[in-house]
Amino acid sequence: MTSGLLTDLYELTMAASYLRRGMTGPATFSLFVRRLPPDRGFLLACGLEDCLSFLEDYRFSQDDLSYLEEQQRFDASTLRALEELRFTGDVWAVPEGRVVFAGEPLLEVTAPITEAQLVETALLNHITFNTTIATKAARCVRAAGGAQVIDFAFRRTQGIDAGMAVARASHIAGFSGTSNAEAARRYGIPAVGTMAHSYIEAFQDEEAAFTAFGTDFPDRTTLLVDTYDTLDGVRTAIRTARRAGLGPLAGVRLDSGDLYELSVQSRRLLDEAGMTEARIVASGGLDEYRIAELTAAGAPIDIYGVGTKMGVSADAPHLDSAYKLVAFEDRPVMKLSTGKATAPCAKQVYRGPDGDIVALRDEPAPPGTQPLLVPAMRAGRRTSPAEPLDTARERCAADLAALPDAFTRLRSPETGTVRLSEALERTRDRLRRELLARTAAEGALPPQ
């Protein structure tokens, strides 16, 4: 059961105030990213599945209500209303795996204002984190130039839940597997892994360790060769495979040192031994920038294991995301705050050859465009079952393949054009004039 307390305190106090005043009208909130982080030309939408699961199960438990009564002094009528509260609204969202840009909604919620307000924090958390990680992972995949990339991040993600989300988001973005066994089981992702240096050190020498592992797991003989001396480790792995009758090596893993030079020398040794099918796995502090350098240099690396820097999106660990009220009781609303102004009304995004158009929800699609937001929930229930992860993964691959190279550059990329439709611009400009006139009138000093 989802705890109703998974929110910021001010959401609860605002909700209590709405309830006391009988403010139950429909409100639309829009979730979007104001601006892209440095060196990002696009984002990869992710986290919708977590949002829908959260909304379907949303409620306040008796423990939640007791806390609000005893510690926050909420009154009895508010507590009764919260006890009965469930999410009954609609959600329009960009499907997971689609490329998106700043200034366009990734998700919009329309629900009674108390419901729509209370779920803000969790929805922002799910979309912001998952989108951040999926985008970082997609950059690693692009940098690898066709080599496989696998998730090694679990031990360094910022929490267990984050580790699960990272495995899922990176798989959508194109990673071929994860070291996280529980994520592999839960999401149907291939589980991958070799061994740790501690395994090698636990034996008398490398050959004893390699022999034991190859005997126990003959179908997964990718051996970690850099515990002592990397190239000697490769020679020992080849010799062990031959002496122990283990058959050809599945591969060797390099986890330190000059990965380019070591991969070249390892490839030479393996090929000379007739083990041309053995793959070279590289890991150790990798991110898209280092992978791109190795790819450009022609390093014969078949698989990259990427951990910490992807799992925390080290160079861009957050997004400037927002969840803002854009309509209440059929009345368009907007902010005029400097640097944080919003556009009013429920919206749709249409993608065409000349860029994206943010339009009013009920506007017809401009010729040659396709809508990005789709109905994901109606009246608090999903419009369709949870989709297979491979569907989002295929959608992601198609969107990334369609991006101009200038958008995917790792440094100083260009980004997509996002503009407002004429109808939305007119609505925004009219409402701005009305709001400025009203605030000017309210701020006028009375005559002396």
Side-chain angles (χ1 to χ4, degrees):
M1 182 175 68
T2 299
S3 169
L5 296 184
L6 287 173
T7 192
D8 293 306
L9 178 61
Y10 80 158
E11 310 284 14
L12 292 159
T13 54
M14 287 189 288
S17 187
Y18 294 147
L19 291 168
R20 290 172 188 169
R21 285 158 180 76
M23 295 173 66
T24 59
T28 297
F29 284 79
S30 185
L31 192 160
F32 59 97
V33 174
R34 289 192 181 98
R35 58 189 64 85
L36 297 182
D39 289 331
R40 297 295 189 269
F42 67 93
L43 297 173
L44 203 62
C46 197
L48 176 59
E49 174 60 29
D50 287 340
C51 291
L52 300 181
S53 296
F54 174 84
L55 294 173
E56 277 190 316
D57 202 29
Y58 188 79
R59 66 200 65 205
F60 286 82
S61 69
Q62 288 304 312
D63 285 345
D64 297 340
L65 298 168
S66 295
Y67 170 79
L68 292 176
E69 179 182 23
E70 296 165 10
Q71 301 297 321
Q72 301 301 331
R73 309 291 179 85
F74 277 44
D75 62 79
S77 63
T78 299
L79 294 170
R80 284 194 298 272
L82 293 178
E83 183 176 18
E84 297 173 359
L85 189 143
R86 303 290 185 271
F87 183 77
T88 63
D90 299 342
V91 175
W92 285 68
V94 176
E96 291 188 297
R98 295 230 64 174
V99 165
V100 292
F101 302 105
E104 52 193 29
L106 280 74
L107 177 148
E108 290 200 333
V109 170
T110 300
I113 191 167
T114 298
E115 299 173 23
Q117 189 78 68
L118 284 170
V119 300
E120 171 181 0
T121 303
L123 299 189
L124 273 169
N125 184 288
H126 286 313
I127 295 293
T128 303
F129 180 74
N130 282 277
T131 297
T132 298
I133 298 302
T135 304
K136 179 73 169 179
R139 288 162 58 85
C140 293
V141 172
R142 298 279 287 196
Q148 292 184 49
V149 189
I150 54 180
D151 161 38
F152 279 1
F154 191 26
R155 62 186 54 202
R156 298 226 176 88
T157 57
Q158 292 161 328
I160 299 297
D161 289 343
M164 299 298 292
V166 165
R168 183 180 182 277
S170 63
H171 190 65
I172 289 174
F175 276 42
S176 58
T178 179
S179 66
N180 182 339
E182 171 56 17
R185 182 193 68 84
R186 184 179 302 180
Y187 301 125
I189 302 170
V192 295
T194 55
M195 60 185 65
H197 293 104
S198 57
Y199 182 85
I200 308 296
E201 294 163 348
F203 289 83
Q204 186 67 31
D205 53 40
E206 277 186 318
E207 185 164 351
F210 292 165
T211 300
F213 192 86
T215 300
D216 294 342
F217 300 100
D219 61 337
R220 57 180 76 175
T221 53
T222 297
L223 304 178
L224 180 62
V225 294
D226 74 325
T227 305
Y228 305 119
D229 178 277
T230 300
L231 296 181
D232 280 348
V234 176
R235 295 184 186 98
T236 302
I238 293 168
R239 184 174 63 251
T240 302
R242 286 173 169 169
R243 286 181 179 174
L246 301 177
L249 289 174
V252 296
R253 176 176 154 219
L254 314 175
D255 192 51
S256 60
D258 183 338
L259 292 179
Y260 171 75
E261 184 61 30
L262 290 172
S263 66
V264 169
Q265 294 300 322
S266 296
R267 183 76 270 159
R268 178 181 60 78
L269 291 170
L270 291 167
D271 290 349
E272 288 175 352
M275 297 182 181
T276 56
E277 299 301 314
R279 297 186 295 179
I280 295 176
V281 182
S283 58
L286 296 176
D287 61 10
E288 67 269 44
Y289 302 107
R290 182 62 181 135
I291 293 172
E293 291 172 357
L294 290 165
T295 301
I301 294 171
D302 303 289
I303 302 173
Y304 291 96
V306 184
T308 305
K309 292 182 180 180
M310 183 277 295
V312 301
S313 189
D315 67 319
H318 62 87
L319 294 176
D320 185 10
S321 56
Y323 179 92
K324 297 301 177 186
L325 183 67
V326 295
F328 179 55
E329 293 183 330
D330 298 322
R331 172 172 58 87
V333 302
M334 64 182 293
K335 282 178 61 174
L336 299 181
S337 308
T338 301
K340 294 186 176 182
T342 57
C345 303
K347 301 175 187 68
Q348 178 57 274
V349 180
Y350 293 105
R351 176 158 294 168
D354 298 324
D356 290 359
I357 302 171
V358 182
L360 297 169
R361 176 78 58 75
D362 56 2
E363 280 191 66
T369 66
Q370 58 169 300
L372 292 191
L373 286 94
V374 300
M377 294 190 88
R378 292 196 188 282
R381 291 292 175 263
R382 295 170 186 260
T383 56
S384 60
E387 66 179 13
L389 205 58
D390 281 350
T391 301
R393 183 178 167 89
E394 291 165 6
R395 184 185 297 126
C396 170
D399 264 21
L400 290 175
L403 276 180
D405 290 343
F407 291 11
T408 63
R409 285 198 303 258
L410 298 185
R411 302 288 189 187
S412 303
E414 298 177 18
T415 190
T417 300
V418 178
R419 64 185 188 279
L420 303 186
S421 70
E422 292 182 4
L424 181 53
E425 277 192 334
R426 287 195 299 271
T427 302
R428 180 201 61 186
D429 293 346
R430 183 187 71 246
L431 182 57
R432 180 192 288 122
R433 290 193 298 270
E434 292 172 357
L435 290 171
L436 289 173
R438 187 184 312 159
T439 54
E442 290 172 350
L445 294 172
Q448 295 294 323

